[in-house]
Amino acid sequence: MKLKTQPVHERVEITAVSAEGKAIARINNQVVFISGAVPGDVADIQIIKKHRRFLEGRVVQFHEQSPTRTTPVCGHFGTCGGCKWQHLQYEHQLKFKQQQVHDQLVRIGKLDVPEIQSIVGARHIYNYRNRLDFGFSNKRWLTTEEVKSGIAFDDRGGMGFHISGAFDKVLDLKECHLQGDFSERVRKFVRQYTSAHQIPYFDIRNHTGMMRSLIVRTSSTGESMVIVMFFGNDQTNIDQVMQAIHAEFSEVTSLLYIINPKGNDTFFDLDVYVFAGKDHIMEEMEGLRFRVGPKSFYQTSSAQAYELYKITRDYAGLTGEEIVYDLYTGTGTIAQFVSRSAKKVIGVELVPAAIEDAKMNASLNNISNCTFYAADMKDMFTAEFMAENGQPDVIITDPPRAGMHPDVAVCLRDSGAKRIVYVSCNPASQARDLAIICEKYHVTKVQPVDMFPQTHHVENVVLLEIN
Ligand code: SAH
């Protein structure tokens, strides 16, 4: 229920942050979630929505600004959903992430865990991403000022990030500080070129238009991949756009396009066409080389991925004799990273294209003790699978945000592995899965890592040892 005429609560102190990154205050003993505020702020708050167990509020007026604040670098801060914590000093972002892990595992999850290690911060707190996906829409998001101005905007096209809660609208980006100069130049060029040449933008409601999305991937080796996703299949338009990008950015090592007539943006099931260059880019880590294709996942911060993998390898405690399972292996990066210290490694991953890359990478790196399977974990990871591939000594698991299927968690619990290293990008789902595994294991180490500065997201590595 929306409440438009609710009273304003004066001089409320903001005291905490929630797992979703929103600020929290208590009003009349009820928890209120507030966007745009940080702990230490004092503000007048109006309740805008009531839920069963909490309220949502908005800031009417600030009285005191928290000393933990800093000036956001991006002009889109507050509108764009991307970097919700730009107004928090980095050391405080880290503090709240540490707190989030504690809250999820200990306070909410009620797990018995040892002292949580201090979070590993990132050296680069801007321009750290190696991938950004920009969407096109023929209805860009209008700012409050634009709406108030009363001006009728003829060209409503926009390109940028989707606005949460408005699936058909995108924020027309003017700047982004997440990937760096090259990505910015490509984005601006494609936006200007397609607008100047009137290549129609995607209309998600009516399913018309050409320009659907732009993906820019950069890598630690200096290579880059640009993927343009079209909705329509007008080859003249396609060639024109691709040729223009090719002429402007001859340094792009992999220039690709996709025609996607589907309702959603995923392209696992679609053909990817090479317009110029190679069909992949190369990443490099500790002398290992990884081929990353357009459909493959690679950790979005290459530098922090290295920190994460080192912790994972350290927790795995390998001597060279172990059979290791790397579950949700993606392109098999962790599997290969630990392979020199293991007897053999078994990797499992849902996306067949990622497994093709994993196999190719292993042979490229002269690694012969890794075996990879493409399958849904919940179907493949069973007692029979372990019997066939060898009793695991150590299991590394790195599931997506939703965590593991309960059957997978049960199978891990019953695996008999000496150690389980659980790498997670969502401590809430991790805590839920750990509750199952901890029926036969106990947590001996917890190490949060910051992979995503300026956001509330936190990565967390947990070591479990068998009881
Ligand atoms: N460990 C890898 C990838 C982690 S991301 C790395 O560090 O790069 C999580 C991976 O889980 C993705 O590659 C995703 O495709 C895969 N995945 C998601 N659901 C899955 C499922 N049900 N079964 C197997 N793999 C799955």
Side-chain angles (χ1 to χ4, degrees), residues 259-318:
I259 300 166
N260 180 1
K262 298 188 302 173
N264 64 51
D265 280 346
T266 59
F267 58 94
F268 293 120
D269 48 349
L270 297 174
D271 289 331
V272 179
Y273 302 99
V274 178
F275 187 83
K278 302 184 292 182
D279 63 353
H280 63 275
I281 48 175
M282 297 303 295
E283 272 287 353
E284 197 267 341
M285 194 186 276
E286 255 187 17
L288 293 171
R289 288 175 68 74
F290 299 119
R291 175 190 197 279
V292 181
K295 296 181 184 180
S296 299
F297 173 88
Y298 192 83
Q299 296 279 349
T300 35
S301 162
S302 308
Q304 283 306 87
Y306 185 40
E307 299 306 316
L308 184 71
Y309 289 0
K310 281 190 288 187
I311 295 161
T312 305
R313 183 172 58 190
D314 178 41
Y315 279 13
L318 303 175

Side-chain angles (χ1 to χ4, degrees), residues 297 299 309 328-330 333-334 349-351 375-377 398-400:
F297 173 88
Q299 296 279 349
Y309 289 0
Y328 308 88
T329 190
T333 35
I334 296 180
E349 157 65 38
L350 182 65
V351 178
D376 192 324
M377 272 290 295
D398 183 11

Side-chain angles (χ1 to χ4, degrees), residues 6-301:
Q6 280 295 299
V8 172
H9 301 266
E10 288 180 11
R11 293 188 175 271
V12 176
E13 189 182 345
I14 313 298
T15 50
V17 281
S18 72
E20 291 74 35
K22 286 195 174 168
I24 296 180
R26 282 185 174 272
I27 298 177
N28 301 335
N29 256 334
Q30 277 190 293
V31 172
V32 188
F33 291 110
I34 302 151
S35 298
V38 304
D41 286 341
V42 176
D44 294 345
I45 304 290
Q46 185 177 33
I47 305 301
I48 52 171
K49 214 169 180 185
K50 281 188 175 174
H51 299 266
R52 212 151 48 88
R53 290 172 56 197
F54 63 91
L55 308 171
E56 277 179 64
R58 71 176 187 97
V59 174
V60 179
Q61 190 194 343
F62 283 107
H63 290 285
E64 284 172 40
Q65 302 255 325
S66 168
T68 64
R69 276 179 175 267
T70 187
T71 311
V73 304
C74 184
H76 294 299
F77 176 75
T79 314
C80 177
C83 300
K84 288 193 180 137
W85 276 8
Q86 272 193 21
H87 57 343
L88 262 180
Q89 291 161 18
Y90 188 55
E91 61 177 292
H92 292 281
Q93 295 181 17
L94 290 178
K95 200 180 97 189
F96 292 130
K97 292 187 191 206
Q98 181 92 18
Q99 181 68 38
Q100 207 188 108
V101 172
H102 179 270
D103 285 353
Q104 293 297 346
L105 266 50
V106 182
R107 196 171 57 79
I108 302 169
K110 308 254 183 299
L111 294 161
D112 188 10
V113 305
E115 190 185 347
I116 298 171
Q117 301 292 307
S118 289
I119 184 166
V120 175
R123 201 172 314 145
H124 302 287
I125 63 168
Y126 282 105
N127 297 329
Y128 59 83
R129 286 184 64 102
N130 56 27
R131 172 181 180 149
L132 283 178
D133 295 35
F134 308 103
F136 292 83
S137 168
N138 66 340
K139 281 185 205 65
R140 74 183 162 85
W141 178 259
L142 295 179
T143 60
T144 317
E145 292 76 45
E146 285 175 322
V147 174
K148 278 188 187 150
S149 74
I151 300 169
F153 293 93
D154 291 341
D155 178 14
R156 280 289 303 276
M159 172 209 197
F161 301 128
H162 286 272
I163 300 262
S164 71
F167 84 103
D168 61 337
K169 305 235 174 23
V170 297
L171 174 69
D172 194 31
L173 276 187
K174 302 285 181 264
E175 57 180 314
C176 179
H177 302 266
L178 283 175
Q179 195 177 12
D181 177 58
F182 172 73
S183 171
E184 282 293 86
R185 286 192 293 120
V186 174
R187 177 180 63 71
K188 285 177 187 165
F189 174 80
V190 176
R191 171 76 175 97
Q192 278 157 12
Y193 183 88
T194 50
S195 173
H197 292 80
Q198 296 179 350
I199 315 283
Y201 288 7
F202 186 42
D203 182 323
I204 196 168
R205 284 185 188 274
N206 298 317
H207 279 197
T208 58
M210 280 301 294
M211 303 304 300
R212 186 159 182 164
S213 65
L214 171 76
I215 300 171
V216 180
R217 293 181 87 158
T218 41
S219 97
S220 57
T221 60
E223 294 189 341
S224 55
M225 176 181 283
V226 173
I227 311 171
V228 184
M229 188 190 284
F230 296 94
F231 174 70
N233 63 358
D234 178 337
Q235 199 62 41
T236 313
N237 269 187
I238 293 173
D239 289 342
Q240 183 190 349
V241 172
M242 299 310 292
Q243 189 52 46
I245 300 172
H246 186 42
E248 187 74 16
F249 299 99
S250 56
E251 68 269 42
V252 171
T253 53
S254 174
L255 180 56
L256 315 174
Y257 72 91
I258 298 165
I259 300 166
N260 180 1
K262 298 188 302 173
N264 64 51
D265 280 346
T266 59
F267 58 94
F268 293 120
D269 48 349
L270 297 174
D271 289 331
V272 179
Y273 302 99
V274 178
F275 187 83
K278 302 184 292 182
D279 63 353
H280 63 275
I281 48 175
M282 297 303 295
E283 272 287 353
E284 197 267 341
M285 194 186 276
E286 255 187 17
L288 293 171
R289 288 175 68 74
F290 299 119
R291 175 190 197 279
V292 181
K295 296 181 184 180
S296 299
F297 173 88
Y298 192 83
Q299 296 279 349
T300 35
S301 162

